[in-house]
Amino acid sequence: MKASAGKRSVSTKDAARTATRTTTRDARIEAPVKAPLKAATKRAAAPAKAAGGAAHSAGKAAPTRAAAPAKAVATAPRSATARERIDDTAYELFSRRGVRAVGVDEVVARSGVAKMTLYRHYPSKDQLALSFLRRREELWTRAWLQAEVERRTPAPAERLLAIFEVFDKWFRKADFEGCTFINVLLENDRKDHPVRLATVAHLATIRVFLRGLAEAAGVSEPEGFARQWHILMKGSIVAAGEGDREAALRAREIGRLLLANEGIAVGARPSRAAKALSAPRAARAARARGQ
């Protein structure tokens, strides 16, 4: 009985030593796998801990170690796509010379794209012209004319007159190109031509802006007034094309008369336009008195 008990005791000790060796060996084998996983888990949890620090109780201190700033990565400027080159080239050429005078071959040559690439984006020249007109409205009517007028003054009646202040600077530029919408409209004698119809619609967009200003200024018939004002604008553009550098100033003074006819007086002091236009009159009056 004692011998059996002794054998069992030895067996138990041997089994314990064997289990210990097995556990230690398994731990050594598993360590290379668990260590990267543990490190990865810590790295993944670090941003969450930093972001959630404010959610801990007020008694806990904020982390003292700040995250290293991200390094700036220099990126090369993005080159223009084929479509962007086509659009930019068409805008430049059509704005200065009209649509009819510019051929597809010239747009292809100037933009540096293949003709098939152009036709893939624009199946016809008319489609290219329509895209140009939409862009012209976006850049000229809204981003330039309307934005400049609204920037100058908050008063609706003064904004109507400010149109001609904006025009005055435009007319005096060496690269003054005239009104694209007028130019393209006159190129197309077919009243049902899609490009002509689009041009008419883009001109109407300008009158919508004018009508809004007229309504806000208290004009009795805003639609008719907007058409009168638009005629004044288009007439001044044509006059500037003829070479009249004072066309915008003259149109501004006529605009004052239109507003006065509605019982709307704008500006107590003489404008620059009024001074410029009154100087020749004053000289003529002086000469008449001298006679």
Side-chain angles (χ1 to χ4, degrees), residues 124-211:
S124 68
K125 183 183 175 183
D126 285 348
Q127 292 296 320
L128 180 60
L130 292 173
S131 175
F132 157 69
L133 291 172
R134 288 192 295 269
R135 192 178 186 196
R136 184 68 174 181
E137 178 179 305
E138 176 186 345
L139 298 180
W140 189 90
T141 305
R142 300 187 188 280
W144 177 69
L145 179 60
Q146 186 171 339
E148 277 295 309
V149 167
E150 292 174 348
R151 182 184 64 81
R152 288 171 181 265
T153 177
E158 291 179 359
R159 283 180 173 178
L160 286 165
L161 294 176
I163 290 172
F164 299 107
E165 295 177 3
V166 176
F167 273 13
D168 186 48
K169 289 188 175 181
W170 181 37
F171 293 172
R172 295 177 190 278
K173 287 186 175 181
D175 59 350
F176 169 66
E177 73 277 23
C179 177
T180 294
F181 301 132
I182 296 175
N183 297 339
V184 176
L185 176 71
L186 298 178
E187 287 178 350
N188 291 276
D189 51 1
R190 277 181 47 200
K191 294 187 177 180
D192 61 342
H193 193 283
V195 174
R196 181 187 174 93
L197 294 174
T199 304
V200 171
H202 289 302
L203 286 168
T205 299
I206 298 174
R207 283 198 303 277
V208 171
F209 174 54
L210 299 176
R211 179 190 173 99

Coordinates of all heavy atoms in Angstrom, one line a residue, residues 124-211:
S124 N -21.1 67.7 -81.3 CA -21.2 68.7 -82.4 C -20.7 70.1 -81.9 O -20.5 70.3 -80.6 CB -22.6 68.9 -82.8 OG -23.4 69.5 -81.8
K125 N -20.4 71.0 -82.8 CA -19.9 72.3 -82.4 C -21.0 73.1 -81.7 O -20.8 73.9 -80.8 CB -19.5 73.1 -83.7 CG -19.0 74.5 -83.4 CD -18.6 75.2 -84.6 CE -18.2 76.6 -84.3 NZ -17.9 77.4 -85.5
D126 N -22.3 72.8 -82.1 CA -23.4 73.4 -81.4 C -23.4 73.1 -79.9 O -23.7 73.9 -79.0 CB -24.7 73.1 -82.0 CG -25.0 73.8 -83.3 OD1 -24.2 74.7 -83.6 OD2 -25.9 73.3 -84.1
Q127 N -23.1 71.8 -79.6 CA -23.1 71.4 -78.2 C -21.9 72.1 -77.4 O -22.1 72.5 -76.3 CB -22.9 69.9 -78.1 CG -24.0 69.1 -78.6 CD -25.3 69.3 -77.7 OE1 -25.2 69.4 -76.5 NE2 -26.4 69.3 -78.3
L128 N -20.8 72.3 -78.1 CA -19.7 73.0 -77.5 C -20.1 74.5 -77.3 O -19.8 75.1 -76.2 CB -18.5 72.9 -78.4 CG -17.2 73.7 -78.0 CD1 -16.7 73.1 -76.6 CD2 -16.1 73.6 -79.0
A129 N -20.8 75.1 -78.2 CA -21.2 76.5 -78.1 C -22.2 76.6 -77.0 O -22.2 77.6 -76.2 CB -21.9 77.0 -79.4
L130 N -23.1 75.7 -76.8 CA -24.1 75.7 -75.7 C -23.4 75.7 -74.4 O -23.8 76.4 -73.4 CB -25.1 74.6 -75.9 CG -26.1 74.7 -77.1 CD1 -26.9 73.5 -77.2 CD2 -27.0 75.9 -77.0
S131 N -22.4 74.8 -74.3 CA -21.7 74.7 -73.0 C -20.9 76.0 -72.7 O -20.9 76.4 -71.6 CB -20.6 73.5 -73.1 OG -19.8 73.5 -72.0
F132 N -20.4 76.6 -73.8 CA -19.7 77.9 -73.6 C -20.6 79.0 -73.1 O -20.3 79.7 -72.2 CB -19.1 78.3 -74.9 CG -18.9 79.8 -75.0 CD1 -17.9 80.4 -74.3 CD2 -19.7 80.6 -75.9 CE1 -17.7 81.8 -74.4 CE2 -19.5 81.9 -76.0 CZ -18.5 82.6 -75.2
L133 N -21.8 79.0 -73.6 CA -22.8 80.0 -73.2 C -23.2 79.8 -71.7 O -23.4 80.8 -71.0 CB -24.0 80.0 -74.1 CG -23.8 80.5 -75.6 CD1 -25.1 80.2 -76.4 CD2 -23.5 81.9 -75.6
R134 N -23.4 78.6 -71.3 CA -23.7 78.3 -69.9 C -22.6 78.8 -69.0 O -22.8 79.4 -68.0 CB -24.0 76.8 -69.7 CG -25.3 76.3 -70.3 CD -25.6 74.9 -69.8 NE -24.6 73.9 -70.3 CZ -24.7 73.3 -71.4 NH1 -25.8 73.5 -72.2 NH2 -23.8 72.4 -71.8
R135 N -21.4 78.5 -69.4 CA -20.2 79.0 -68.6 C -20.1 80.5 -68.6 O -19.7 81.1 -67.6 CB -18.9 78.3 -69.2 CG -17.8 78.5 -68.2 CD -16.5 77.8 -68.8 NE -15.4 77.9 -67.8 CZ -14.2 77.6 -68.1 NH1 -13.8 77.3 -69.3 NH2 -13.2 77.7 -67.2
R136 N -20.4 81.1 -69.7 CA -20.4 82.6 -69.8 C -21.4 83.2 -68.8 O -21.0 84.2 -68.2 CB -20.7 83.0 -71.3 CG -20.6 84.5 -71.5 CD -19.1 85.0 -71.4 NE -19.0 86.4 -71.7 CZ -17.9 87.1 -71.7 NH1 -16.8 86.5 -71.4 NH2 -17.9 88.4 -72.1
E137 N -22.5 82.6 -68.8 CA -23.5 83.1 -67.8 C -23.0 83.0 -66.4 O -23.1 83.9 -65.5 CB -24.9 82.4 -67.9 CG -25.9 82.9 -66.9 CD -27.2 82.2 -67.1 OE1 -27.8 82.2 -68.2 OE2 -27.7 81.6 -66.1
E138 N -22.4 81.8 -66.1 CA -21.9 81.6 -64.7 C -20.8 82.6 -64.4 O -20.8 83.1 -63.3 CB -21.4 80.1 -64.7 CG -20.7 79.8 -63.3 CD -20.1 78.4 -63.4 OE1 -20.4 77.6 -64.3 OE2 -19.3 78.1 -62.4
L139 N -19.8 82.8 -65.3 CA -18.7 83.6 -65.0 C -18.9 85.1 -65.2 O -18.4 85.9 -64.4 CB -17.5 83.1 -65.8 CG -17.0 81.7 -65.6 CD1 -15.8 81.4 -66.5 CD2 -16.6 81.5 -64.2
W140 N -19.6 85.4 -66.3 CA -19.8 86.9 -66.6 C -21.0 87.4 -65.9 O -20.9 88.4 -65.1 CB -19.9 87.0 -68.1 CG -19.9 88.5 -68.5 CD1 -18.8 89.2 -68.9 CD2 -21.1 89.4 -68.7 NE1 -19.2 90.5 -69.2 CE2 -20.6 90.6 -69.1 CE3 -22.4 89.2 -68.5 CZ2 -21.4 91.7 -69.4 CZ3 -23.3 90.3 -68.7 CH2 -22.7 91.5 -69.1
T141 N -22.2 86.8 -66.1 CA -23.4 87.4 -65.5 C -23.4 87.3 -64.0 O -23.7 88.3 -63.3 CB -24.6 86.7 -66.1 OG1 -24.6 86.7 -67.5 CG2 -25.9 87.3 -65.5
R142 N -23.1 86.1 -63.4 CA -23.3 85.9 -62.0 C -22.1 86.2 -61.2 O -22.1 87.0 -60.2 CB -23.8 84.4 -61.8 CG -25.1 84.1 -62.5 CD -25.6 82.7 -62.1 NE -26.7 82.3 -62.8 CZ -28.0 82.7 -62.6 NH1 -28.2 83.5 -61.6 NH2 -29.0 82.3 -63.4
A143 N -21.0 85.6 -61.6 CA -19.8 85.7 -60.7 C -19.1 87.1 -60.9 O -18.4 87.5 -60.0 CB -18.8 84.6 -61.1
W144 N -19.3 87.8 -62.0 CA -18.7 89.1 -62.2 C -19.7 90.2 -62.1 O -19.7 91.0 -61.1 CB -18.0 89.1 -63.6 CG -17.4 90.5 -63.9 CD1 -16.3 91.0 -63.2 CD2 -17.9 91.5 -64.8 NE1 -16.1 92.3 -63.8 CE2 -17.0 92.6 -64.7 CE3 -19.0 91.5 -65.7 CZ2 -17.2 93.7 -65.5 CZ3 -19.2 92.6 -66.5 CH2 -18.3 93.7 -66.4
L145 N -20.6 90.3 -63.0 CA -21.5 91.5 -63.0 C -22.4 91.6 -61.8 O -22.4 92.6 -61.0 CB -22.4 91.5 -64.3 CG -23.4 92.6 -64.4 CD1 -22.7 94.0 -64.4 CD2 -24.3 92.5 -65.6
Q146 N -23.1 90.5 -61.5 CA -24.0 90.5 -60.4 C -23.3 90.6 -59.0 O -23.6 91.4 -58.2 CB -24.9 89.3 -60.4 CG -26.0 89.2 -59.3 CD -26.9 88.1 -59.5 OE1 -27.0 87.5 -60.6 NE2 -27.6 87.7 -58.4
A147 N -22.2 89.9 -58.9 CA -21.4 89.9 -57.7 C -20.8 91.3 -57.4 O -20.8 91.8 -56.3 CB -20.3 88.9 -57.7
E148 N -20.3 91.9 -58.5 CA -19.6 93.2 -58.4 C -20.7 94.3 -58.0 O -20.4 95.2 -57.1 CB -18.9 93.6 -59.7 CG -17.6 93.1 -59.8 CD -16.6 93.6 -58.8 OE1 -16.5 94.8 -58.6 OE2 -15.9 92.8 -58.1
V149 N -21.8 94.2 -58.6 CA -22.9 95.2 -58.3 C -23.3 95.1 -56.8 O -23.5 96.1 -56.1 CB -24.1 95.0 -59.3 CG1 -25.3 95.8 -58.8 CG2 -23.7 95.5 -60.7
E150 N -23.6 93.9 -56.4 CA -24.0 93.6 -55.0 C -23.0 94.0 -54.0 O -23.3 94.4 -52.9 CB -24.5 92.2 -54.9 CG -25.7 91.9 -55.7 CD -26.1 90.4 -55.6 OE1 -25.2 89.6 -55.2 OE2 -27.2 90.0 -56.1
R151 N -21.7 93.9 -54.4 CA -20.6 94.2 -53.5 C -20.5 95.7 -53.2 O -20.1 96.2 -52.1 CB -19.3 93.7 -54.0 CG -18.1 93.9 -53.1 CD -16.8 93.5 -53.8 NE -16.6 94.2 -55.0 CZ -16.0 95.4 -55.0 NH1 -15.6 96.0 -53.9 NH2 -15.7 96.0 -56.2
R152 N -20.9 96.5 -54.2 CA -20.7 98.0 -54.1 C -21.7 98.7 -53.2 O -21.4 99.6 -52.5 CB -20.8 98.6 -55.5 CG -19.6 98.3 -56.4 CD -19.8 98.7 -57.8 NE -18.6 98.3 -58.6 CZ -17.6 99.2 -58.9 NH1 -17.7 100.4 -58.4 NH2 -16.6 98.8 -59.6
T153 N -23.0 98.2 -53.2 CA -24.0 98.9 -52.4 C -25.1 98.0 -52.1 O -25.4 97.1 -52.9 CB -24.5 100.1 -53.2 OG1 -25.5 100.8 -52.4 CG2 -25.0 99.8 -54.5
P154 N -25.8 98.1 -50.9 CA -27.0 97.3 -50.6 C -28.3 97.8 -51.2 O -29.3 97.1 -51.2 CB -27.0 97.3 -49.1 CG -26.4 98.6 -48.7 CD -25.4 98.9 -49.8
A155 N -28.3 99.1 -51.6 CA -29.6 99.7 -52.0 C -29.9 99.3 -53.4 O -29.1 99.5 -54.3 CB -29.5 101.3 -51.9
P156 N -31.2 98.9 -53.7 CA -31.5 98.4 -55.0 C -31.4 99.4 -56.1 O -30.9 99.1 -57.2 CB -33.0 97.9 -54.8 CG -33.2 97.7 -53.4 CD -32.2 98.6 -52.7
A157 N -31.9 100.6 -55.9 CA -31.8 101.7 -56.9 C -30.3 102.0 -57.2 O -29.9 102.2 -58.4 CB -32.5 102.9 -56.5
E158 N -29.5 102.1 -56.2 CA -28.1 102.3 -56.3 C -27.4 101.2 -57.1 O -26.4 101.4 -57.8 CB -27.4 102.6 -55.0 CG -27.8 103.9 -54.4 CD -27.2 104.1 -53.0 OE1 -26.4 103.2 -52.6 OE2 -27.4 105.2 -52.4
R159 N -27.9 100.0 -56.8 CA -27.3 98.8 -57.6 C -27.6 98.9 -59.1 O -26.7 98.5 -59.9 CB -27.9 97.5 -57.0 CG -27.2 97.1 -55.7 CD -27.8 95.8 -55.1 NE -27.0 95.4 -54.0 CZ -27.3 94.3 -53.2 NH1 -28.3 93.5 -53.6 NH2 -26.6 94.0 -52.2
L160 N -28.7 99.4 -59.4 CA -29.0 99.6 -60.8 C -28.0 100.5 -61.5 O -27.5 100.3 -62.6 CB -30.5 100.1 -61.0 CG -31.6 99.1 -60.8 CD1 -32.9 99.8 -60.6 CD2 -31.7 98.1 -61.9
L161 N -27.7 101.6 -60.8 CA -26.8 102.6 -61.3 C -25.3 102.0 -61.3 O -24.5 102.3 -62.1 CB -26.8 103.9 -60.6 CG -28.1 104.7 -60.7 CD1 -28.1 105.9 -59.8 CD2 -28.3 105.1 -62.2
A162 N -25.1 101.2 -60.2 CA -23.7 100.6 -60.1 C -23.4 99.7 -61.3 O -22.2 99.5 -61.5 CB -23.6 99.8 -58.8
I163 N -24.4 99.2 -62.0 CA -24.1 98.4 -63.2 C -23.2 99.2 -64.1 O -22.2 98.6 -64.7 CB -25.4 98.0 -63.9 CG1 -26.1 97.0 -63.0 CG2 -25.1 97.4 -65.2 CD1 -27.5 96.6 -63.5
F164 N -23.4 100.5 -64.3 CA -22.7 101.2 -65.2 C -21.3 101.6 -64.7 O -20.4 101.9 -65.4 CB -23.5 102.5 -65.6 CG -24.8 102.1 -66.3 CD1 -26.0 102.2 -65.7 CD2 -24.8 101.5 -67.6 CE1 -27.2 101.8 -66.3 CE2 -25.9 101.1 -68.2 CZ -27.1 101.3 -67.6
E165 N -21.2 101.6 -63.3 CA -19.8 101.8 -62.8 C -19.0 100.6 -63.1 O -17.8 100.8 -63.4 CB -20.0 102.1 -61.3 CG -20.7 103.3 -60.9 CD -20.8 103.5 -59.4 OE1 -20.3 102.6 -58.6 OE2 -21.5 104.4 -58.9
V166 N -19.6 99.4 -63.0 CA -18.8 98.2 -63.3 C -18.5 98.2 -64.8 O -17.4 97.9 -65.2 CB -19.6 97.0 -62.9 CG1 -18.9 95.7 -63.4 CG2 -19.9 96.9 -61.4
F167 N -19.5 98.6 -65.6 CA -19.2 98.7 -67.1 C -18.1 99.6 -67.4 O -17.4 99.4 -68.4 CB -20.5 99.1 -67.8 CG -21.5 97.9 -68.1 CD1 -21.3 96.7 -67.5 CD2 -22.5 98.1 -68.9 CE1 -22.1 95.6 -67.8 CE2 -23.4 97.1 -69.3 CZ -23.2 95.8 -68.7
D168 N -18.1 100.8 -66.7 CA -17.1 101.8 -67.0 C -15.7 101.2 -67.0 O -14.8 101.5 -67.9 CB -17.2 103.0 -66.1 CG -16.3 104.1 -66.4 OD1 -16.3 104.5 -67.6 OD2 -15.6 104.6 -65.5
K169 N -15.4 100.4 -65.9 CA -14.0 99.8 -65.8 C -13.8 98.8 -67.0 O -12.8 98.7 -67.5 CB -13.9 99.2 -64.5 CG -13.7 100.2 -63.3 CD -13.4 99.5 -62.0 CE -13.1 100.5 -60.9 NZ -12.7 99.8 -59.7
W170 N -14.9 98.1 -67.2 CA -14.8 97.1 -68.3 C -14.6 97.7 -69.7 O -13.7 97.2 -70.4 CB -16.1 96.3 -68.3 CG -16.2 95.2 -69.3 CD1 -15.2 94.3 -69.7 CD2 -17.4 94.8 -70.0 NE1 -15.7 93.4 -70.6 CE2 -17.1 93.7 -70.8 CE3 -18.7 95.2 -70.0 CZ2 -18.0 93.0 -71.7 CZ3 -19.6 94.6 -70.9 CH2 -19.3 93.5 -71.7
F171 N -15.3 98.8 -70.0 CA -15.2 99.4 -71.3 C -13.8 100.0 -71.5 O -13.3 100.1 -72.6 CB -16.2 100.6 -71.4 CG -17.6 100.1 -71.4 CD1 -18.6 101.0 -71.4 CD2 -17.9 98.8 -71.6 CE1 -20.0 100.6 -71.5 CE2 -19.3 98.3 -71.6 CZ -20.3 99.3 -71.6
R172 N -13.1 100.4 -70.4 CA -11.8 101.0 -70.5 C -10.6 100.0 -70.6 O -9.5 100.4 -70.7 CB -11.6 102.0 -69.4 CG -12.5 103.1 -69.4 CD -12.4 104.1 -68.2 NE -13.4 105.0 -68.1 CZ -13.5 106.2 -68.8 NH1 -12.5 106.5 -69.6 NH2 -14.5 107.0 -68.7
K173 N -10.9 98.7 -70.5 CA -9.9 97.7 -70.7 C -9.4 97.6 -72.1 O -10.2 97.7 -73.0 CB -10.4 96.4 -70.1 CG -10.5 96.3 -68.6 CD -10.9 94.9 -68.2 CE -10.9 94.8 -66.7 NZ -11.2 93.4 -66.2
A174 N -8.1 97.3 -72.3 CA -7.6 97.2 -73.6 C -8.2 95.9 -74.3 O -8.3 95.9 -75.5 CB -6.1 97.1 -73.6
D175 N -8.5 94.9 -73.5 CA -9.1 93.7 -74.1 C -10.6 93.6 -74.0 O -11.1 92.5 -74.0 CB -8.4 92.5 -73.4 CG -8.7 92.4 -71.9 OD1 -9.2 93.5 -71.4 OD2 -8.4 91.4 -71.2
F176 N -11.2 94.7 -73.9 CA -12.7 94.7 -73.9 C -13.2 94.0 -75.1 O -12.9 94.3 -76.3 CB -13.2 96.2 -73.9 CG -14.7 96.3 -74.2 CD1 -15.6 95.8 -73.3 CD2 -15.1 96.9 -75.4 CE1 -17.0 96.0 -73.5 CE2 -16.5 97.1 -75.6 CZ -17.4 96.6 -74.7
E177 N -14.1 93.0 -74.9 CA -14.5 92.1 -76.0 C -16.0 92.2 -76.3 O -16.5 91.6 -77.3 CB -14.3 90.6 -75.6 CG -15.2 90.0 -74.5 CD -14.8 90.4 -73.1 OE1 -14.0 91.3 -72.9 OE2 -15.2 89.6 -72.2
G178 N -16.7 93.1 -75.7 CA -18.1 93.3 -76.0 C -19.0 92.2 -75.3 O -18.5 91.4 -74.5
C179 N -20.2 92.2 -75.6 CA -21.2 91.2 -75.0 C -21.2 90.0 -75.9 O -21.7 90.1 -77.0 CB -22.5 91.9 -74.8 SG -23.8 90.7 -74.2
T180 N -20.8 88.9 -75.3 CA -20.9 87.6 -76.1 C -22.3 87.3 -76.5 O -22.5 86.8 -77.6 CB -20.2 86.5 -75.2 OG1 -18.9 86.8 -75.0 CG2 -20.4 85.2 -75.9
F181 N -23.2 87.5 -75.6 CA -24.6 87.1 -75.9 C -25.1 87.9 -77.1 O -25.8 87.3 -78.0 CB -25.5 87.3 -74.7 CG -25.0 86.5 -73.5 CD1 -24.9 87.1 -72.2 CD2 -24.7 85.1 -73.6 CE1 -24.5 86.4 -71.1 CE2 -24.3 84.4 -72.5 CZ -24.2 85.0 -71.2
I182 N -24.8 89.1 -77.1 CA -25.3 90.0 -78.3 C -24.6 89.5 -79.6 O -25.2 89.3 -80.6 CB -25.0 91.4 -78.0 CG1 -25.8 92.0 -76.9 CG2 -25.3 92.3 -79.3 CD1 -25.5 93.4 -76.5
N183 N -23.3 89.2 -79.5 CA -22.5 88.8 -80.6 C -23.0 87.5 -81.2 O -23.2 87.4 -82.4 CB -21.0 88.7 -80.3 CG -20.4 90.0 -79.8 OD1 -20.9 91.1 -80.2 ND2 -19.3 90.0 -79.1
V184 N -23.2 86.5 -80.3 CA -23.7 85.2 -80.8 C -25.1 85.3 -81.3 O -25.5 84.6 -82.3 CB -23.5 84.2 -79.7 CG1 -24.1 82.8 -80.1 CG2 -22.1 84.0 -79.3
L185 N -25.9 86.1 -80.7 CA -27.3 86.3 -81.1 C -27.4 86.8 -82.6 O -28.1 86.3 -83.4 CB -28.0 87.3 -80.2 CG -29.5 87.7 -80.6 CD1 -30.4 86.5 -80.3 CD2 -29.9 88.9 -79.8
L186 N -26.6 87.8 -82.9 CA -26.6 88.4 -84.2 C -25.9 87.5 -85.2 O -26.1 87.7 -86.4 CB -25.9 89.7 -84.2 CG -26.5 90.8 -83.2 CD1 -25.7 92.1 -83.3 CD2 -28.0 91.1 -83.7
E187 N -25.2 86.5 -84.8 CA -24.6 85.6 -85.8 C -25.6 84.6 -86.4 O -25.4 84.1 -87.5 CB -23.5 84.7 -85.1 CG -22.2 85.5 -84.8 CD -21.2 84.6 -84.1 OE1 -21.6 83.4 -83.6 OE2 -20.1 85.0 -83.9
N188 N -26.6 84.3 -85.6 CA -27.6 83.3 -86.0 C -28.9 84.0 -86.5 O -29.6 84.6 -85.7 CB -27.9 82.4 -84.8 CG -26.7 81.5 -84.5 OD1 -26.5 80.4 -85.1 ND2 -25.9 81.9 -83.5
D189 N -29.2 83.9 -87.8 CA -30.4 84.5 -88.3 C -31.6 83.6 -88.2 O -32.7 84.0 -88.4 CB -30.2 85.0 -89.7 CG -29.6 83.9 -90.6 OD1 -29.4 82.8 -90.1 OD2 -29.4 84.2 -91.8
R190 N -31.3 82.3 -88.0 CA -32.4 81.3 -87.8 C -33.0 81.4 -86.4 O -32.3 81.2 -85.4 CB -31.9 79.9 -88.0 CG -31.8 79.4 -89.5 CD -31.4 78.0 -89.5 NE -32.1 77.2 -88.6 CZ -31.6 76.0 -88.2 NH1 -30.4 75.5 -88.6 NH2 -32.3 75.3 -87.3
K191 N -34.2 81.8 -86.3 CA -34.8 82.1 -84.9 C -35.0 80.8 -84.1 O -35.2 80.9 -82.9 CB -36.1 82.8 -85.1 CG -35.9 84.3 -85.6 CD -37.2 85.1 -85.6 CE -36.9 86.5 -86.0 NZ -38.2 87.3 -86.0
D192 N -35.0 79.6 -84.8 CA -35.2 78.4 -84.1 C -33.9 77.6 -83.9 O -33.9 76.5 -83.4 CB -36.1 77.5 -84.9 CG -35.6 77.1 -86.3 OD1 -34.7 77.9 -86.8 OD2 -36.1 76.2 -86.9
H193 N -32.8 78.3 -84.1 CA -31.5 77.6 -83.9 C -31.2 77.5 -82.4 O -31.4 78.4 -81.7 CB -30.3 78.5 -84.6 CG -29.0 77.8 -84.7 ND1 -28.2 77.6 -83.6 CD2 -28.4 77.2 -85.7 CE1 -27.1 76.9 -84.0 NE2 -27.3 76.6 -85.3
P194 N -30.8 76.3 -82.0 CA -30.6 76.1 -80.5 C -29.6 77.0 -79.9 O -29.8 77.4 -78.7 CB -30.1 74.6 -80.5 CG -29.6 74.3 -81.8 CD -30.4 75.1 -82.8
V195 N -28.6 77.4 -80.6 CA -27.6 78.4 -80.0 C -28.3 79.8 -79.9 O -28.1 80.4 -78.8 CB -26.3 78.4 -80.9 CG1 -25.4 79.5 -80.3 CG2 -25.6 77.1 -80.8
R196 N -29.0 80.2 -80.8 CA -29.7 81.5 -80.8 C -30.7 81.4 -79.6 O -30.8 82.4 -78.8 CB -30.4 81.8 -82.1 CG -31.2 83.1 -82.1 CD -32.0 83.3 -83.3 NE -32.8 84.5 -83.2 CZ -32.4 85.7 -83.7 NH1 -31.2 85.9 -84.2 NH2 -33.2 86.8 -83.5
L197 N -31.5 80.4 -79.5 CA -32.5 80.3 -78.4 C -31.8 80.3 -77.1 O -32.3 80.9 -76.1 CB -33.3 79.0 -78.6 CG -34.2 78.9 -79.8 CD1 -34.8 77.5 -80.0 CD2 -35.3 80.0 -79.8
A198 N -30.7 79.6 -77.0 CA -29.9 79.6 -75.7 C -29.5 81.0 -75.4 O -29.5 81.5 -74.2 CB -28.8 78.7 -75.8
T199 N -29.0 81.8 -76.4 CA -28.5 83.1 -76.1 C -29.7 84.0 -75.6 O -29.5 84.8 -74.7 CB -28.0 83.7 -77.5 OG1 -26.9 82.8 -77.9 CG2 -27.4 85.1 -77.2
V200 N -30.8 83.9 -76.2 CA -32.0 84.7 -75.8 C -32.3 84.4 -74.3 O -32.6 85.3 -73.5 CB -33.2 84.4 -76.7 CG1 -34.5 85.0 -76.1 CG2 -33.0 84.9 -78.1
A201 N -32.2 83.1 -74.0 CA -32.5 82.7 -72.6 C -31.5 83.3 -71.6 O -31.8 83.7 -70.5 CB -32.5 81.2 -72.5
H202 N -30.2 83.3 -72.0 CA -29.2 83.9 -71.2 C -29.3 85.4 -71.0 O -29.1 85.9 -69.9 CB -27.8 83.5 -71.7 CG -27.4 82.1 -71.6 ND1 -27.4 81.4 -70.4 CD2 -27.1 81.2 -72.5 CE1 -27.0 80.2 -70.6 NE2 -26.9 80.0 -71.9
L203 N -29.8 86.1 -72.0 CA -30.0 87.5 -71.9 C -31.2 87.7 -71.0 O -31.2 88.7 -70.2 CB -30.3 88.1 -73.3 CG -29.1 88.3 -74.2 CD1 -29.5 88.6 -75.6 CD2 -28.2 89.4 -73.7
A204 N -32.2 86.8 -71.1 CA -33.4 87.0 -70.2 C -33.0 86.8 -68.7 O -33.6 87.4 -67.8 CB -34.4 85.9 -70.5
T205 N -31.9 86.0 -68.4 CA -31.4 85.8 -67.1 C -30.9 87.2 -66.5 O -31.1 87.5 -65.3 CB -30.3 84.8 -67.0 OG1 -30.7 83.6 -67.5 CG2 -29.7 84.7 -65.6
I206 N -30.3 88.0 -67.4 CA -29.9 89.3 -66.9 C -31.1 90.2 -66.5 O -31.1 90.9 -65.5 CB -29.1 90.0 -68.0 CG1 -27.8 89.2 -68.3 CG2 -28.7 91.4 -67.6 CD1 -27.0 89.7 -69.5
R207 N -32.2 90.1 -67.3 CA -33.4 90.9 -67.0 C -34.0 90.4 -65.7 O -34.7 91.2 -65.0 CB -34.4 90.8 -68.2 CG -34.0 91.7 -69.3 CD -35.2 91.9 -70.3 NE -35.7 90.7 -70.8 CZ -35.3 90.0 -71.8 NH1 -34.2 90.5 -72.5 NH2 -35.9 89.0 -72.3
V208 N -33.9 89.1 -65.4 CA -34.5 88.6 -64.1 C -33.8 89.4 -63.0 O -34.4 89.8 -62.0 CB -34.3 87.1 -64.0 CG1 -34.6 86.6 -62.6 CG2 -35.2 86.4 -65.0
F209 N -32.5 89.5 -63.1 CA -31.7 90.2 -62.1 C -32.2 91.7 -62.0 O -32.4 92.2 -60.9 CB -30.2 90.2 -62.4 CG -29.3 91.0 -61.5 CD1 -29.4 90.9 -60.2 CD2 -28.4 91.9 -62.1 CE1 -28.5 91.7 -59.4 CE2 -27.6 92.7 -61.3 CZ -27.7 92.6 -59.9
L210 N -32.3 92.3 -63.2 CA -32.8 93.7 -63.2 C -34.2 93.9 -62.7 O -34.5 94.8 -61.9 CB -32.7 94.2 -64.7 CG -31.4 94.2 -65.3 CD1 -31.5 94.7 -66.8 CD2 -30.4 95.1 -64.6
R211 N -35.1 92.9 -63.0 CA -36.4 93.0 -62.5 C -36.4 92.9 -61.0 O -37.2 93.6 -60.3 CB -37.3 91.9 -63.1 CG -38.7 91.9 -62.6 CD -39.5 90.6 -63.0 NE -40.8 90.6 -62.3 CZ -41.9 90.9 -62.9 NH1 -41.9 91.3 -64.2 NH2 -43.0 90.9 -62.2

